[in-house]
Amino acid sequence: MIAIEAVSKTFETEKRRRLPALCDISLAVAAGEFVSILGPSGCGKSTLLYIVGGFVAPSAGAVTVNGQRVTGPSPDRGPVFQEFALFPWKTVLGNVMYGLQRQGVARQQALARARELIAMVHLAGYENLYPKELSGGMKQRVAIARTLAYRPSILLMDEPFGALDAHTRTRLQNDLLDIWERDRKTVLFVTHSVEEAVFLSDRVVTMTRAPGRLKQIIAIDLPRPRSRAALLLDRRFQDYVVGIERLMDSADSGAPA
Amino acid sequence: MTRPVSALAAVIAAAGLLAAWELAAWLAGIDGFPPASRALAQIPRILTDGEALLDIAASVQRMAVGFVLGVAAAVPIGLTMGRSRHVAAFFNPLLMMIYPVPKAALMPIIMLWLGVGDASKTLVIFLGVTLPVIYHSYQGSRAVEQKMLWSAAAMGMGGLSRLVRIVLPAALPEILVGCRTGLVLALITMVTSEMIARQAGLGNILFNALDMAQYDTVYAMIVIVGVLGFVLDAAFERLRARLVAWAAPSHAIIAGTT
Ligand SMILES: Nc1ncnc2c1ncn2[C@@H]1O[C@H](COP(=O)(O)OP(=O)(O)OP(=O)(O)O)[C@@H](O)[C@H]1O
Ligand SMILES: [Mg+2]
């Protein structure tokens, strides 16, 4: 389980100006829980994810995972970055296998696992292409497969479906839910889509404008396994979406903090 | 179709240059400026002379050793500078001081330590190669995307492993740009070092001929050095294109332009 305890982050800019990005965030995420973070652009969602990942140190407060204080990255917490960050000198297959090989998994095994994941993100047949030959959405899917490959128990996903067309997006949302139902990974999921957040999550966390504070946490009490078609007709789903959209609007029109 | 076109352009340029040389030399009519036809006629003689060939081979070998050692030393320094502000702060002023010094001008001093033999010349070539390679490795290393390093860190890779397995390949396109400059500088320092320490080598033939007023041979040697540079550069460029094919933007999309 992840415990974010009173985390704040202030960046020092080049001209020694102090830029507060996150303000006193406390949040506990249970093992196997799916939590989405919603908030206006620039409110610090990515920064929060980086702090949980151990890539960025908080200015105040701490993050613990299963009681252990986070001081750096670990293969147990797999990030999927907004910018994909694929290795351009590796093919699709090479990228997905990379983490496994670094961890000493035998080549044959790594290959089999990579092929399985590539098929899962619907990229079978593209194994030997280089990242520069892929579209934005394809890169994003490779990035997801690359992280899933080394089996982190916590997934830190930063708008992983942001660059996808609506159709692929829906498909991958379903695939992600399937994986999650199967392995019960803990997921911290940043998105701009309220529908996506409600569809996927156990809880939706909303944040205020920068410097980001927690605004409200909404538990999504919808039955699982979820089916998109059924939910779209479900009055409760619609209420959640509309309610959260209203909440977000009020965040945007509020006075700057 | 770019290859035949650019090859044709190169042939035209070379022919034009030779024609201009020939004409200018006839017009000038001085001893120290033989026409192209007389100079080029010397090339077969030089290239069939066993001793001259040994000299040239020795020069090229020194150049290769200096280049390889230079690259081997420069790349780790440049990459580390790009990833650590402290290392960069240490090397930067040093490099800025060495930068404007013509490396061949150090030759007399180096000869005091290492003599007139291979060691001095190789060291000067080494010095000529390292600076551009350090600089470009540094720039390439600095530009490596942070998230790429984070992804690697999340896979459990430590600092050194990331430097070798992530920073090095990610910066390779830029490193190779530095190597290309380094290769040309290696050729230049090779010739100048032999101008100063006359003993053996391609520069030795050139400057001895100059002393003995054999101007045809001087110009023939200059042409040989030029062609050598051209061939080395072209070969390196092909190697580079192969090594970093993954990085080049895909062209050849618009029909009829390729
Ligand atoms: N390395 C940095 N140095 C200085 N300021 C930074 C740095 N990284 C982020 N910030 C600032 O912190 C704030 C939060 O940035 P962050 O990327 O976390 O926002 P976000 O919520 O993920 O936005 P988006 O939805 O657009 O991705 C922004 O104001 C940004 O300018
Ligand atoms: Mg972000």
Side-chain angles (χ1 to χ4, degrees), chain A residues 208-211 213 254-257:
Chain A
T208 65
R209 289 212 286 207
R213 299 165 186 275

Side-chain angles (χ1 to χ4, degrees), chain B residues 97-257:
Chain B
M97 256 163 54
I98 305 173
Y99 182 60
V101 178
K103 304 310 160 289
L106 299 173
M107 193 64 193
I109 304 170
I110 292 172
M111 274 157 55
L112 290 180
W113 312 335
L114 300 176
V116 291
D118 276 1
S120 298
K121 291 171 199 157
T122 311
L123 180 60
V124 171
I125 295 169
F126 171 91
L127 290 175
V129 171
T130 42
L131 276 182
V133 181
I134 289 179
Y135 177 76
H136 283 276
S137 307
Y138 172 43
Q139 295 303 332
S141 165
R142 267 206 324 187
V144 175
E145 202 191 331
Q146 176 88 72
K147 305 286 154 46
M148 214 144 83
L149 291 162
W150 286 359
S151 299
M155 292 169 182
M157 291 167 67
L160 184 65
S161 166
R162 271 175 294 170
L163 192 71
V164 175
R165 293 177 179 278
I166 306 292
V167 178
L168 175 64
L172 192 63
E174 187 67 29
I175 293 174
L176 292 179
V177 171
C179 288
R180 195 175 170 192
T181 313
L183 191 65
V184 175
L185 284 176
L187 184 70
I188 295 172
T189 36
M190 174 194 89
V191 176
T192 37
S193 72
E194 291 168 358
M195 174 172 85
I196 296 160
R198 301 267 191 92
Q199 190 205 27
L202 197 150
N204 183 42
I205 308 178
L206 202 166
F207 294 105
N208 277 341
L210 190 65
D211 286 349
M212 293 188 278
Q214 296 168 346
Y215 298 119
D216 298 354
T217 309
V218 171
Y219 279 79
M221 285 311 292
I222 291 173
V223 171
I224 289 175
V225 171
V227 169
L228 186 62
F230 182 83
V231 169
L232 283 175
D233 188 59
F236 187 81
E237 185 51 27
R238 289 190 73 165
L239 178 72
R240 194 195 63 81
R242 272 189 118 176
L243 284 177
V244 295
W246 52 264
S250 304
H251 289 305
I253 292 170
I254 304 166
T257 58

Side-chain angles (χ1 to χ4, degrees), chain B residues 26-39:
Chain B
W26 281 115
L27 290 176
I30 30 180
D31 262 2
F33 190 17
S37 50
R38 290 223 325 263

Side-chain angles (χ1 to χ4, degrees), chain A residues 11-13 19-21 39-48 50 82 158-159 190 192 210:
Chain A
F11 287 104
E12 289 262 348
T13 58
L19 208 99
S41 181
C43 77
K45 305 179 295 295
S46 297
T47 306
L48 183 61
Y50 302 157
Q82 211 170 345
D158 198 353
E159 302 186 32
V190 170
H192 275 129

Side-chain angles (χ1 to χ4, degrees), chain A residues 3 24 37 45 48 67 72 76 87 107 111 116 121-123 134 142 151 157 163 167 179 186 194 213 224:
Chain A
D24 195 28
I37 302 173
K45 305 179 295 295
L48 183 61
D76 194 41
F87 305 135
R107 202 187 142 71
L111 203 64
E116 182 189 316
V121 293
H122 312 286
L123 282 176
L134 304 176
V142 177
R151 301 180 202 273
M157 308 182 90
H167 177 67
I179 296 168
T186 311
V194 176
R213 299 165 186 275
R224 292 188 188 268

